[in-house]
Amino acid sequence: MTVKNIFMFCDANLKKLAFVLCVFLPFFQLRGRAIADLIILFIGISFLLHSFFNKRYYCLLHGWFPYAMGLWGLIVVSSTLNGSAHTLMESIALVRYFVFAKALEEWLLDSRQKQQWLGLSVTLAGVWLISQCWEQYLFGVNIWGYARWKDGALTGPFFEPRAGPPLMVIMFPGLMIYPMRMVQAKEPGKKLLALGVMSFLLLTMVIIGQRMPALLVLFGFFLCALLVKTTRVPVILATLSGFVGLALLPFLSPPAYDKLVLHFVQQIGHFSQSAYGQIYMRALNMVHAHPLLGVGYNGFRAHCAETTYVYGIPQFAHLVAGQEIATGCNIHPHNIYLEIATTAGLAGLLLFVCTVLIWWKTLFLAALASKELMPSMLFITLCMLFWPLASTSSLFTERTAGWVFLMVGWGLAQARATSGTQSTGTGTGTGTGTH
């Protein structure tokens, strides 16, 4: 056996192993984040080895990837200037997420069958999440014996209220895709069943009791009605049923109503004095003080208690007067764009916005061009994930980044498959949806 044959054998088997691990990744995202992080790292390294030994560097030099590498470089530079050696090492390690997404796009999800296997895995993870939420709602505890959180939120399979964000990510590509396909069938019974499933999914998100995931899913339903014309009426009816569920929430789940409605109205009415308002103003003061490069990875967490950043922008002075310094502090700014701005400055924010716009454009064009529904579902998911007016978890923690970059890579792989099949004139696969 020649050296070339040995390499080809190793490369092929490495790809098979990486794909199997990728299929199991959604489950480890829910339970076993350290393993999930190792899977992401393994897939990224395997892809780089494949690219190096096959001399396929072009995919790393075009599209969104150079912008992402520019952002990463700025984060590393800013962390070098403002952080510790440990912070610097953490900032360097962030590259794994971008490489992971690129690996899914260019290498790992290179067939419809592989994308369908990943889709099935995401669906099963979503079913598990929903089953645990309803078990906790109906019987008081989940499978692990954990009750509702102290504010009334359903925790699903977790100890803390963390069911909303992953269910939001899974909602459209993993769950809504099935009733959407059923809606396009001619049988009235299937259409009615699809409406019931959509309403059930939306009601589940409402009774979980986490405000931002519920709002973003409603936003996703709105985008779904705009983008996929053939499912517009059932989606609108399901959305109306969601509002009915919200109106009945004082009877269905009083704790969820208190958090989802009463507390939300109170926060919005006095937003500048709320914890979120104070955190956002603290982040903006940091950007005002370090506009070019920010304060590095984890810089917000490390420096938010410094009095330098309490006052900075004159227009905010009267809003923060008399507030405790701790009111504006947290482990992250609770908004992806503010997180990037505090981490890598306005230069990094510009590169990040360019990267997101390329992702959105690529998936939007694929959604318009494809007869399949999955590109539309993934485009809607990315719109929810990167919607600028949202309170979010930290982008670069594994709990968030694993889902985000999995969806980015999967969506770009779908777009690549759509454009590839179009160029060869072979159609767009087995999907039955029409836009």
Side-chain angles (χ1 to χ4, degrees):
M1 183 178 287
T2 65
V3 175
K4 182 178 180 181
N5 288 336
I6 293 174
F7 164 73
M8 291 178 64
F9 175 81
C10 293
D11 187 44
N13 283 280
L14 203 62
K15 186 175 183 179
K16 290 178 182 178
L17 177 58
F19 173 69
V20 172
L21 292 175
C22 183
V23 170
F24 281 98
L25 180 60
F27 301 104
F28 288 114
Q29 280 294 132
L30 297 178
R31 199 96 181 169
R33 289 179 289 114
I35 298 175
D37 211 357
L38 288 174
I39 290 174
I40 289 170
L41 182 62
F42 177 81
I43 291 174
I45 292 175
S46 300
F47 170 63
L48 291 178
L49 289 174
H50 167 80
S51 301
F52 176 77
F53 286 110
N54 287 283
K55 298 181 179 179
R56 295 178 178 175
Y57 313 118
Y58 177 71
C59 65
L60 304 177
L61 302 176
H62 78 286
W64 63 270
F65 200 69
Y67 293 96
M69 289 300 94
L71 169 62
W72 171 66
L74 287 177
I75 294 174
V76 172
V77 170
S78 183
S79 300
T80 302
L81 297 174
N82 298 285
S84 63
H86 178 72
T87 299
L88 174 60
M89 295 304 296
E90 285 186 310
S91 68
I92 292 173
L94 294 180
V95 72
R96 68 193 185 277
Y97 294 122
F98 298 112
V99 176
F100 168 69
K102 195 65 175 174
L104 298 186
E105 176 190 10
E106 299 281 350
W107 177 58
L108 201 56
L109 301 180
D110 57 353
S111 70
R112 296 288 187 189
Q113 186 179 26
K114 290 180 178 178
Q115 293 165 15
Q116 289 168 357
W117 273 108
L118 178 59
L120 176 61
S121 175
V122 171
T123 298
L124 293 175
V127 171
W128 167 249
L129 262 174
I130 288 178
S131 68
Q132 286 304 292
C133 289
W134 280 99
E135 179 178 340
Q136 194 177 54
Y137 174 77
L138 294 173
F139 303 106
V141 295
N142 62 16
I143 193 173
W144 314 111
Y146 299 136
R148 285 174 180 261
W149 195 242
K150 54 189 175 183
D151 62 1
L154 296 175
T155 67
F158 308 109
F159 168 68
E160 296 177 308
R162 292 173 176 165
L167 185 56
M168 177 200 76
V169 175
I170 291 170
M171 179 65 71
F172 287 91
L175 299 170
M176 275 287 289
I177 184 71
Y178 299 104
M180 294 281 284
R181 287 170 177 163
M182 292 166 59
V183 161
Q184 295 179 330
K186 294 182 179 180
E187 295 88 342
K190 286 187 176 181
K191 292 180 181 291
L192 188 61
L193 177 61
L195 176 60
V197 173
M198 290 180 186
S199 302
F200 170 75
L201 292 174
L202 191 54
L203 177 63
T204 301
M205 183 57 73
V206 169
I207 69 165
I208 284 176
Q210 290 186 266
R211 295 182 297 269
M212 192 50 62
L215 286 172
L216 288 173
V217 166
L218 284 171
F219 173 58
F221 269 69
F222 171 74
L223 291 177
C224 197
L226 287 180
L227 190 61
V228 190
K229 297 179 180 179
T230 54
T231 63
R232 187 166 293 169
V233 173
V235 168
I236 292 174
L237 291 176
T239 305
L240 292 175
S241 70
F243 283 107
V244 171
L246 190 63
L248 295 175
L249 206 55
F251 308 100
L252 297 174
S253 179
Y257 176 75
D258 290 342
K259 183 179 180 182
L260 206 61
V261 179
L262 299 182
H263 192 209
F264 177 74
V265 171
Q266 182 183 12
Q267 277 192 330
I268 294 299
H270 304 87
F271 185 73
S272 63
Q273 301 301 312
S274 70
Y276 284 105
Q278 293 290 312
I279 289 171
Y280 293 161
M281 286 186 284
R282 189 69 54 87
L284 290 170
N285 282 336
M286 281 188 175
V287 177
H288 182 264
H290 302 275
L292 184 59
L293 292 176
V295 290
Y297 180 70
N298 258 344
F300 181 85
R301 181 178 188 174
H303 301 291
C304 69
E306 296 176 9
T307 54
T308 306
Y309 305 115
V310 176
Y311 299 97
I313 302 176
Q315 290 81 356
F316 294 159
H318 69 286
L319 298 175
V320 298
Q323 290 280 5
E324 293 287 337
I325 289 180
T327 306
C329 279
N330 206 287
I331 57 176
H332 58 86
H334 282 76
N335 178 274
I336 288 178
Y337 295 89
L338 280 177
E339 181 181 3
I340 295 296
T342 56
T343 301
L346 296 179
L349 180 62
L350 177 61
L351 289 171
F352 180 71
V353 169
C354 290
T355 304
V356 171
L357 288 176
I358 292 173
W359 291 340
W360 279 349
K361 178 183 177 182
T362 303
L363 267 69
F364 179 66
L365 293 177
L368 293 181
S370 176
K371 291 184 178 180
E372 292 188 357
L373 286 170
M374 188 60 80
S376 297
M377 300 297 97
L378 288 164
F379 169 70
I380 291 168
T381 301
L382 261 62
C383 286
M384 294 190 298
L385 286 171
F386 295 108
W387 185 245
L389 302 178
S391 170
T392 63
S393 299
S394 176
L395 175 61
F396 293 121
T397 58
E398 201 288 322
R399 180 180 289 109
T400 302
W403 284 116
V404 168
F405 289 96
L406 176 65
M407 293 297 145
V408 168
W410 185 13
L412 294 173
Q414 281 277 339
R416 183 180 176 84
T418 299
S419 62
T421 52
Q422 281 182 329
S423 64
T424 57
T426 59
T428 55
T430 59
T432 59
T434 57
H435 292 265

